Amino acid sequence: LTRRSFLFLTFLSAVLQVIIVVTGNNPSSYTQIINCIDKKGYIYIKKSNYPKAIECYTEELKLAEKVDNKSAQAYSINNIAIVYYKEKNYDEALQYYQRAFDINKEIDNRQGIGLAYNNIGEIYKIKGVYSKAFEYYTKAVNIFEEIEYTSGRAYALCNLCETYLYSGDPNN
């Protein structure tokens, strides 16, 4: 870790302790605690310290489950999937992306569903299962179009085009 990252992680740890002491570990403070843990996980990902990132996101997930915050659960699970993706553990990433999708579907988080479709499509593209990648990217594009999430739609369309190029099928 760089000195700057170390100082930021130390600061976040101190903030976490203050929140816990001031609120008495009250469940109403869990959102702030989850946010701090999330920031720590992000730094660990950026520094390629994947075991520590998984540790943070798993802790984040446990807190989200404790207060039954489905949105935070899906977000934490997606973060765990991202770590596995970065480690090139695509099968594990796919399982976590699917779990994030399931929760987002349960709570009807359309943007989360679209992001999960896009992420699942990415795994299939990397694995060379282009028909599945097309299917999931198309679902992502359609959802993003429905909810008018322009940047998500553009990103999914780019992924769809890239998949057509990778597939080597001149008819597409």
Side-chain angles (χ1 to χ4, degrees):
L1 291 176
T2 63
R3 178 168 165 68
R4 184 175 172 188
S5 296
F6 174 77
L7 290 174
F8 192 65
L9 285 168
T10 303
F11 171 75
L12 284 173
S13 295
V15 168
L16 276 169
Q17 292 306 313
V18 168
I19 291 170
I20 291 168
V21 168
V22 170
T23 64
N25 203 19
N26 185 329
S28 67
S29 67
Y30 283 10
T31 300
Q32 292 87 7
I33 294 170
I34 288 169
N35 287 337
C36 283
I37 295 169
D38 183 69
K39 301 295 181 263
K40 287 176 70 174
Y42 177 78
I43 291 170
Y44 285 125
I45 284 179
K46 287 296 184 190
K47 296 301 175 184
S48 300
N49 189 339
Y50 301 129
K52 282 297 230 182
I54 291 282
E55 187 179 302
C56 286
Y57 294 136
T58 300
E59 181 181 356
E60 177 183 276
L61 176 59
K62 286 177 184 173
L63 283 173
E65 289 171 340
K66 191 172 186 176
V67 293
D68 197 32
N69 183 332
K70 298 286 187 186
S71 180
Q73 288 173 37
Y75 186 78
S76 301
I77 290 167
N78 188 71
N79 285 339
I80 293 169
I82 290 168
V83 175
Y84 285 123
Y85 173 84
K86 289 190 171 287
E87 290 181 316
K88 298 183 180 0
N89 185 344
Y90 301 122
D91 292 332
E92 199 71 24
L94 182 59
Q95 289 179 18
Y96 277 90
Y97 283 139
Q98 186 62 53
R99 282 181 61 195
F101 167 80
D102 292 342
I103 293 172
N104 281 312
K105 188 166 175 87
E106 179 185 333
I107 61 174
D108 197 33
N109 176 355
R110 305 291 289 158
Q111 184 173 337
I113 292 168
L115 291 171
Y117 280 148
N118 191 70
N119 292 336
I120 292 168
E122 180 68 14
I123 297 296
Y124 283 122
K125 180 182 72 181
I126 287 170
K127 293 178 89 173
V129 186
Y130 299 119
S131 61
K132 285 283 205 185
F134 292 139
E135 175 188 338
Y136 281 95
Y137 285 141
T138 301
K139 288 179 180 182
V141 168
N142 292 338
I143 287 199
F144 292 147
E145 200 169 280
E146 286 172 19
I147 63 172
E148 298 179 2
Y149 181 43
T150 309
S151 61
R153 182 174 176 263
Y155 190 67
L157 281 169
C158 286
N159 286 334
L160 195 56
C161 291
E162 188 177 67
T163 304
Y164 280 118
L165 290 174
Y166 287 164
S167 74
D169 184 352
N171 296 321
N172 287 322

